Amino acid sequence: MIHIAPSILSADFLRLGEQVQEAENAGVDRVQVDVMDGRFVPNITFGSSTLRALRPITKLQLEAHLMVEPPEDFIERIAHGGADTIIVHQEATPHLHRCVQHIHSLGKKAGVALTPSTPAAMLTEILYDLQLVLVMTVNPGFGGQEFIAETLLKVRQVRELIRARDMNCEVEVDGGINIETAPRCIEAGADVLVAGTAVFDHKDGVAAAVRELLAVCGKIA
Ligand code: DX5
């Protein structure tokens, strides 16, 4: 099963709730909220208040992608804000295992994100505890960037690590995902596609964009 996770980073912030509901009606099961602190990445975006605003208006799973350091300082308030899944960057803390434990203690699903230069092997000691691995296919911080094709090998490696452990862990890709790059990611082993620009900047609107992505993925999955 392939999942599309629209990233609200590229949404029209004056119509955020409306666009999230459009995505929900189009059949996605989640949206991704990119939390950026201007320190781990050179950009500042949303916090727990955006999650609190979205929580009551949608039944979608809310995935919080924490591009912050240290993530330890944010996990609690992001969880209480309404996130269902909290994704922390392997590069942002020396205490990744403790972060994942903390996320689980709050009743949330835990994911770990890897920037393009971080090898899949950095997951081996934490993978058992994860519900999701996010392979960044761009350098984190901004939407609308060019897909980094070299990251496809890492997608394969992560999928193989999961298969070898007979685990049920999602492989998510994020950055430059569109109708051209999506099938390549699926073929490499991804089953969750984060898409911001391809969804919210689509000429025919959110629903058409989601349908187009699912159709293209359906040919591969
Ligand atoms: C990068 C962000 C983006 C965003 C999606 O830090 O995480 O990848 O979600 O961006 P697009 O789909 O516009 O490349």
Side-chain angles (χ1 to χ4, degrees):
M1 175 75 180
I2 304 302
H3 304 274
I4 306 292
S7 161
I8 66 167
L9 183 64
S10 309
D12 175 351
F13 298 157
L14 297 179
R15 298 195 303 124
L16 185 56
E18 195 184 309
Q19 289 200 314
V20 166
Q21 287 170 339
E22 278 177 43
E24 185 167 12
N25 297 337
V28 305
D29 66 352
R30 68 190 82 182
V31 290
Q32 189 168 100
V33 178
D34 286 315
V35 180
M36 301 183 191
D37 65 357
R39 180 174 156 177
F40 181 70
V41 292
N43 197 0
I44 295 176
T45 57
F46 319 104
S48 55
S49 53
T50 302
L51 287 160
R52 283 187 197 287
L54 288 174
R55 187 65 287 167
I57 61 110
T58 180
K59 291 185 177 52
L60 290 177
Q61 293 274 312
L62 299 179
E63 275 189 6
H65 175 191
L66 301 190
M67 287 165 272
V68 301
E69 64 181 345
E72 291 90 329
D73 291 0
F74 297 84
I75 287 168
E76 195 104 9
R77 75 185 88 157
I78 291 293
H80 293 150
D84 298 288
T85 303
I86 300 177
I87 304 167
V88 299
H89 267 267
Q90 186 278 333
E91 308 86 3
T93 173
H95 301 296
L96 188 60
H97 188 273
R98 186 184 294 149
C99 278
V100 169
Q101 282 183 317
H102 188 193
I103 292 167
H104 286 153
S105 73
L106 295 162
K108 307 301 180 181
K109 285 178 274 187
V112 167
L114 303 177
T115 65
S117 60
T118 302
M122 294 303 281
L123 292 169
T124 51
E125 303 310 318
I126 195 70
L127 191 57
Y128 277 114
D129 295 301
L130 301 183
Q131 288 72 55
L132 179 144
V133 172
L134 170 52
V135 178
M136 290 303 294
T137 46
V138 295
N139 284 298
F142 300 93
Q145 299 180 82
E146 198 67 29
F147 180 81
I148 302 172
E150 289 74 8
T151 58
L152 286 170
L153 176 58
K154 193 189 314 181
V155 174
R156 286 185 199 287
Q157 291 165 341
V158 171
R159 176 53 70 191
E160 179 50 31
L161 285 171
I162 291 166
R163 194 200 57 73
R165 288 162 171 78
D166 194 23
M167 287 176 60
N168 182 18
C169 177
E170 292 181 319
V171 179
E172 185 171 69
V173 288
D174 178 359
I177 304 301
N178 55 39
I179 56 172
E180 188 274 320
T181 56
R184 297 163 63 191
C185 293
I186 303 289
E187 194 277 329
D191 51 3
V192 186
L193 309 176
V194 176
T197 305
V199 170
F200 293 109
D201 286 3
H202 193 285
K203 62 182 175 37
D204 298 330
V206 171
V210 169
R211 278 196 302 273
E212 198 176 70
L213 274 171
L214 285 172
V216 162
C217 297
K219 293 190 188 103
I220 297 284

